[in-house]
Amino acid sequence: QLQLVESGGGLVQPGGSLRLSCAASGKPLDGYTIAWFRQAPGKEREGVSCLSSRTGSTNYADSVKGRFTFSRDSAKNTVFLQMNSLKPEDTAVYYCAASITSYCARRSMNYWGKGTLVTVSS
């Protein structure tokens, strides 16, 4: 059973940066599609970034393109989300998820972490 644990959230001022980590255990992440989602208060959970197991490429939501970067460290079985130029609208709980399929849709995810809260405020 794959288990995911996010960390790195916190309070940051607008324009600041945070790096989120998602540590996996139980199985290696290689071969899974891995994604970051977020859920702001009162809103639906939305995709932020996804690394497809089929294409090997990473995609980003339009709202974070050029500011967020997805990376992975296979040796540590961990993925990261570097978030720069943060805005108040980035405030949300951020979740790491993994799918046994090659799809990035929320409904395709088989495993979820419990999330880490990011608050962007002055």
Side-chain angles (χ1 to χ4, degrees):
Q1 184 81 351
L2 180 67
Q3 295 180 324
L4 304 171
V5 178
E6 303 94 337
S7 62
L11 174 64
V12 62
Q13 292 187 339
S17 298
L18 281 176
R19 188 175 82 152
L20 305 184
S21 300
C22 173
S25 61
K27 291 186 176 182
L29 281 174
D30 295 346
Y32 287 91
T33 289
I34 310 162
W36 287 96
F37 291 81
R38 68 185 181 185
Q39 188 166 18
K43 294 191 176 181
E44 299 249 335
R45 193 171 298 188
E46 63 175 0
V48 174
S49 182
C50 182
L51 171 63
S52 169
S53 62
R54 181 177 64 86
T55 66
S57 61
T58 306
N59 58 46
Y60 298 90
D62 287 343
S63 58
V64 306
K65 275 181 186 174
R67 300 188 298 122
F68 289 13
T69 304
F70 186 121
S71 63
R72 68 187 299 170
D73 184 334
S74 296
K76 295 183 179 179
N77 212 27
T78 300
V79 297
F80 305 95
L81 186 68
Q82 177 68 43
M83 307 187 296
N84 298 329
S85 302
L86 283 161
K87 305 175 181 179
E89 51 263 44
D90 294 318
T91 295
V93 177
Y94 284 72
Y95 297 90
C96 176
S99 173
I100 59 174
T101 75
S102 61
Y103 300 106
C104 291
R106 186 178 66 181
R107 63 181 180 273
S108 298
M109 297 297 141
N110 304 104
Y111 304 97
W112 291 88
K114 293 185 177 181
T116 185
L117 176 63
V118 172
T119 303
V120 185
S121 175
S122 54

